[in-house]
Amino acid sequence: MSEEPAPQGPTGTPTASSGTAPGPQPEPLRFFGTTWVAHDGGYGARRAGVAVGSLVGAAAGCFVLRFAYEGLTIAAVGTLVNALVVVMFAICSALAFRRTWEGFTRRHDAESQSSTRGLMAIGFVGSLLAYFLRSLSEAPGEKLHRKEYEAAREQYTKRTERRTGNPSRKKRKR
């Protein structure tokens, strides 16, 4: 048996009849879903898991890069190539760290995201370290999503407060 999907409004958000509160719904975060809103549903354990997972991933990535460097040394490609590879990974990791860190506080446009995809892939260690450091204080991206969600809730409240009652029944001033 499959469940029917919840009825959705024109914006793709569930409507009030689906059991959720009317108005804008919080955007889920990777690994956290919507637990970041009220810090419930294992939020602390998820944050710890993201911190440990990203640190282990960064360490594993460094281990793999070490093997690649040793392969270059065994191939005797020369000190210039070895130095260039090390500098390339260091710079790409630093840029990926900065870009990932900025992405936690502001959204990047789709064009710039696609143009830096290769840099982010090469500097994956920097991105993982950014995730690790941010998860020590909050869910990565929580501050940005909270700010956007609260602004949407505030705007929704202002819109709905103005529309009370049936406007056709309004008494006309004479």
Side-chain angles (χ1 to χ4, degrees), residues 4-174:
E4 286 185 33
Q8 296 187 346
T11 60
T13 57
T15 59
S17 63
S18 66
T20 61
Q25 300 301 312
E27 186 177 342
L29 286 174
R30 181 181 297 152
F31 307 120
F32 293 91
T34 56
T35 61
W36 61 268
V37 176
H39 293 190
D40 60 352
Y43 172 81
R46 290 175 191 226
R47 254 185 56 203
V50 166
V52 169
S54 59
L55 191 59
V56 166
C62 289
F63 194 65
V64 169
L65 290 175
R66 179 174 170 246
F67 281 135
Y69 180 79
E70 286 179 3
L72 290 173
T73 305
I74 291 170
V77 293
T79 55
L80 178 64
V81 174
N82 285 343
L84 286 175
V85 168
V86 169
V87 168
M88 177 200 59
F89 274 107
I91 289 173
C92 287
S93 290
L95 291 173
F97 178 90
R98 187 177 130 253
R99 183 143 177 91
T100 303
W101 193 263
E102 286 175 352
F104 296 143
T105 55
R106 68 179 175 89
R107 292 196 185 265
H108 297 291
D109 60 332
E111 185 178 316
S112 71
Q113 278 185 325
S114 66
S115 67
T116 59
R117 189 170 294 139
L119 177 124
M120 298 293 283
I122 294 170
F124 68 97
V125 173
S127 290
L128 289 171
L129 290 176
Y131 260 87
F132 168 71
L133 291 175
R134 183 60 96 173
S135 64
L136 294 177
S137 62
E138 67 175 9
E142 178 181 346
K143 186 182 289 186
L144 172 68
H145 283 76
R146 188 171 301 283
K147 183 175 73 172
E148 290 173 350
Y149 176 62
E150 287 175 356
R153 293 290 302 170
E154 206 173 286
Q155 187 180 31
Y156 174 78
T157 304
K158 285 180 183 177
R159 276 195 330 255
T160 56
E161 282 178 351
R162 282 188 247 145
R163 293 183 285 167
T164 56
N166 187 346
S168 65
R169 292 187 190 165
K170 204 175 198 180
K171 290 185 180 180
R172 305 278 184 218
K173 292 183 182 179
R174 294 180 200 199

